[in-house]
Amino acid sequence: MSIPDSSNQGTPLLKRFDVYTVLLGLSFLAIIASIALLALEMQRYQWDIKAVNTSNVGAALQSPPVNTTAASTTTVNAPQAVADGSVAGLNN
């Protein structure tokens, strides 16, 4: 076993920064950028984070439901060209 050389003062700079270190730095910058954008958005609302008064929502919930299961009494007649299958542009 040999004693390590004391003249070597650590690892070179390029070996310390591998791909994962760069990705960690990029994610840190993305978090800082998102915090800055959130601060800009909050300034638009004067930093107010309270809920909006929703007391009038209850009236809409208490209205009677719309009947969507009733049978339709309207009859739609197809044009003769559609019934014959001779619609322009279709080759049968």
Side-chain angles (χ1 to χ4, degrees), residues 74-87:
T74 306
T75 305
V76 178
N77 295 324
Q80 187 62 31
V82 174
D84 292 344
S86 59
V87 176

Side-chain angles (χ1 to χ4, degrees), residues 36-48:
L37 291 174
L38 179 62
L40 288 174
E41 184 73 19
M42 291 295 293
Q43 278 182 338
R44 289 178 56 195
Y45 297 102
Q46 288 82 29
W47 297 90
D48 182 24

Side-chain angles (χ1 to χ4, degrees), residues 10-46:
T11 60
L13 185 61
L14 290 177
K15 288 197 177 227
R16 255 191 323 198
F17 294 120
D18 59 349
V19 174
Y20 300 109
T21 307
V22 173
L23 287 175
L24 183 65
L26 288 175
S27 64
F28 176 72
L29 291 176
I31 290 172
I32 296 300
S34 63
I35 290 171
L37 291 174
L38 179 62
L40 288 174
E41 184 73 19
M42 291 295 293
Q43 278 182 338
R44 289 178 56 195
Y45 297 102
Q46 288 82 29

Side-chain angles (χ1 to χ4, degrees), residues 58-71:
L61 295 176
Q62 294 174 358
S63 65
V66 178
N67 187 4
T68 58
T69 58

